[in-house]
């Protein structure tokens, strides 16, 4: 289990919600640090709780950017 923890990070936030880096910056840093898996876990749009979630428009952008990163890093970094 310890080895898996050292090669993956599955709970990350980006500038789309309360993080400090863009998804692209996070993916590049993960690759540079030798991670094998990076999971994005942003606060997507929830109509009942707009105070702590992304807007619907930003949720769509966020999901599209993460999907694009999956393709860009395919074979080098598993993006969830």
């Amino acid at each position: 289990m310890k080895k898996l923890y050292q090669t993956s990070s599955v709970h990350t936030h980006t500038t789309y919600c309360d993080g400090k880096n863009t998804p692209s910056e996070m993916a590049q840093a993960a690759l540079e640090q030798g991670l094998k898996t990076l999971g994005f876990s942003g606060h997507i749009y929830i109509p009942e709780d707009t105070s702590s979630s992304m807007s619907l428009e930003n949720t769509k952008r966020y999901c599209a950017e993460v999907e694009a990163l999956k393709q860009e890093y395919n074979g080098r970094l598993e993006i969830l």
Side-chain angles (χ1 to χ4, degrees), residues 8-54:
S8 66
S9 177
V10 296
H11 188 117
T12 61
H13 293 189
T14 69
T15 53
Y16 280 101
C17 54
D18 57 0
K20 295 183 179 186
N21 298 93
T22 67
S24 182
E25 291 169 338
M26 299 286 291
Q28 184 59 40
L31 189 65
E32 289 171 0
Q33 293 175 25
L35 294 181
K36 303 295 182 198
T37 305
L38 176 65
F40 288 99
S41 54
H43 301 271
I44 62 171
Y45 177 69
I46 301 172
E48 298 80 19
D49 184 13
T50 57
S51 66
S52 63
S53 67
M54 293 180 220

Side-chain angles (χ1 to χ4, degrees), residues 61-74 79:
R61 283 190 209 140
Y62 171 77
C63 290
E65 188 169 344
V66 170
E67 285 301 316
L69 288 170
K70 284 182 182 183
Q71 298 303 313
E72 182 180 342
Y73 285 86
N74 187 31
I79 295 182

